[in-house]
Amino acid sequence: MTVLARAKHTSIVTLCLAALAVCRPAAADTVSLMWDSNPDQVTGYAVYVGMQSGTYTQRYDVGNATAFAYPAATAGQRYCFAVAAYVTSTESPKSSEVCGFSNAPPSLTNPGERTGIVGQPATLQLVGTDPAGQALTYSATGLPTGLTVMASTGFVSGVGTTAGTYAVTATASDGVLSASQSFLWTMTAAPVLDTAPPTVTIAGPTTAASYETAVSSLALNGTSADNAGTTQVSWANDRGGSGVASGTTNWSVASIALQSGTNLITVQARDAAGNQGSDVIAVTYTPPAPVPTTSVVLGAQVTTTKTKRRVDLGWTQTPWTGVDVYRNGARITTTANDGAYTDSSCKRGRTYTYKICAPGSTVCSNSTTVYF
C-alpha cells in the first residue's frame, strides 16, 4: 500500500511531514515516509519515530534524502513521525507530526444470538471489513454439530444434528491481524408430529345436547384439552354470528345472540398443529309473548279554590293493579288504579304534561298538558 502527500515550507528550520505509506515483508512492516525538500541549503534531515504522539524514542539521520523507510513497524501498532532539517550541528524545530498504523486490524460484526432446529438447514453470513481493503479469511469455533464455515467468504451453513446451546467464536483475519466475536447458537429438537385433535366440552348453561330459553342471548362456558395444549377456542352459530372464546383450558363466551327457533352452536378447539375438535349444542329460543296494549284515556284540568290551585287527573278504568303517574317525563308517584289523582305540588306560570303507565312498564296512556 502506498500513500503520498506533500507539504510546503519556507525556511531552513521549517519542514512539514504529510503522509506515510506501508509495505509488508514477511517479518515486519515497513513504513515509507516522503517529504518536500528544503529550498535553502541544508546539510541533511533527521527522522524521529515514536509510539506516542510527541514522544520520540528513535532518531534516524538520512542525510540529504527526502524519503525514509522505517523497517521495524509492528502490524497494528500506531507510530508517530516528525522530520527536522539540520545544517552542520544546528537542527531546526521538528515538522508537524504524522501518525498512523502500519496495518490496522479488521472488524467483524457480531451476528447476535442465533437459533435453529435440528434436522433443518441453517445459514449465517459473517460480515468483516478491513480498513486497507485487504482480503479476509474466516474461521469459527464452537459451531453447532453439522455446521461449517467457508473460509474465503465467511458463509456458515449446514444441518444441525444435535440439540443444545453452543458458544461460538467467529474470527476474521487479514493474515496478520484479526478480529473476533462471540455469540450463542441454540439448536432445538424438531417437534414430534402431532395428529391427535384436542377435545372440547360445553359445560354451561348445560351439559345436555339441547337447551331452551326465553332470553335472546346465551352465555357459554366449558373446558378443552390437548396433548400439546389448545391454542384457541372459537364458536359459531348457524343462524349467524361467530367469535373467539376467552381462555382455552377453561373457556367462556359472554354473550351469543340467538334467533327465534333453533340455533345450532358449534364450539371448536384448535392446537398448534392445526388439529381441531368440536362440541355442539342446539339452543331453542322462544321469545316472550308481547305485553298487550291497553287504550287508556287521560284527562287533566286545573282546579282553583280560595286558598290554592291544583291539577286534577282522571282516566278511564284499566286492568292494571295500580298506575305510575308521570309529570314532564318523570315519575312522581305510584297510586291506586281508581281513575283519579290530584297533583297539588305545581307552581304557577308553568306548563305541565302528564301521562299514566302500568307499573314498571312502557304501556302508557296518552299525554295531556295543562298551564298552571
Side-chain angles (χ1 to χ4, degrees):
M1 179 179 70
T2 302
V3 179
L4 173 62
R6 304 178 69 84
K8 296 182 178 180
H9 50 82
T10 58
S11 72
I12 192 172
V13 294
T14 303
L15 196 68
C16 293
L17 176 67
L20 56 87
V22 179
C23 300
R24 178 177 298 161
D29 288 350
T30 298
V31 181
S32 298
L33 308 174
M34 300 181 68
W35 58 91
D36 293 337
S37 61
N38 196 301
D40 300 322
Q41 184 67 35
V42 299
T43 303
Y45 301 96
V47 177
Y48 290 86
V49 184
M51 295 183 182
Q52 295 181 356
S53 178
T55 301
Y56 306 107
T57 57
Q58 300 176 68
R59 179 183 183 277
Y60 293 87
D61 188 336
V62 299
N64 283 318
T66 56
F68 172 69
Y70 179 63
T74 300
Q77 174 64 54
R78 183 174 181 263
Y79 292 92
C80 294
F81 301 89
V83 176
Y86 65 87
V87 177
T88 60
S89 61
T90 301
E91 188 172 289
S92 73
K94 297 178 180 63
S95 69
S96 58
E97 183 180 68
V98 169
C99 297
F101 292 88
S102 64
N103 176 31
S107 62
L108 179 64
T109 301
N110 193 311
E113 292 190 9
R114 311 291 296 183
T115 59
I117 299 176
V118 172
Q120 297 185 9
T123 60
L124 170 64
Q125 178 62 62
L126 298 176
V127 179
T129 57
D130 186 82
Q134 300 180 84
L136 298 177
T137 57
Y138 297 87
S139 61
T141 60
L143 284 171
T145 306
L147 274 59
T148 58
V149 58
M150 184 175 292
S152 60
T153 64
F155 186 69
V156 180
S157 62
V159 176
T161 62
T162 307
T165 298
Y166 298 81
V168 182
T169 299
T171 301
S173 173
D174 65 3
V176 177
L177 301 177
S178 63
S180 297
Q181 295 287 353
S182 296
F183 58 95
L184 297 178
W185 198 323
T186 301
M187 301 296 293
T188 58
V192 177
L193 186 59
D194 181 10
T195 59
T199 60
V200 60
T201 302
I202 299 172
T206 180
T207 58
S210 61
Y211 179 72
E212 295 182 359
T213 181
V215 181
S216 61
S217 64
L218 179 73
L220 284 182
N221 65 79
T223 60
S224 71
D226 185 73
N227 60 336
T230 304
T231 59
Q232 185 185 78
V233 175
S234 59
W235 63 270
N237 186 350
D238 72 333
R239 300 291 298 278
S242 61
V244 177
S246 175
T248 53
T249 303
N250 294 284
W251 57 266
S252 63
V253 181
S255 179
I256 297 175
L258 301 175
Q259 302 297 322
S260 178
T262 301
N263 298 254
L264 198 62
I265 300 174
T266 302
V267 178
Q268 189 175 76
R270 179 187 296 269
D271 64 14
N275 302 308
Q276 299 177 8
S278 63
D279 194 8
V280 179
I281 183 171
V283 180
T284 301
Y285 167 49
T286 304
V291 178
T293 59
T294 303
S295 178
V296 181
V297 179
L298 175 68
Q301 67 177 15
V302 177
T303 302
T304 304
T305 66
K306 292 182 179 181
T307 59
K308 60 182 179 180
R309 305 177 76 190
R310 67 178 187 268
V311 177
D312 292 322
L313 301 178
W315 60 87
T316 59
Q317 289 292 334
T318 72
W320 307 334
T321 58
V323 295
D324 289 342
V325 181
Y326 287 82
R327 181 179 65 206
N328 292 345
R331 186 173 65 84
I332 61 174
T333 188
T334 299
T335 187
N337 184 18
D338 56 8
Y341 177 74
T342 298
D343 185 8
S344 302
S345 60
C346 300
K347 297 181 179 180
R348 292 177 180 272
R350 297 186 180 180
T351 299
Y352 295 95
T353 299
Y354 294 88
K355 69 177 179 179
I356 61 171
C357 302
S361 172
T362 58
V363 178
C364 302
S365 69
N366 61 295
S367 297
T368 183
T369 302
V370 297
Y371 179 74
F372 197 75

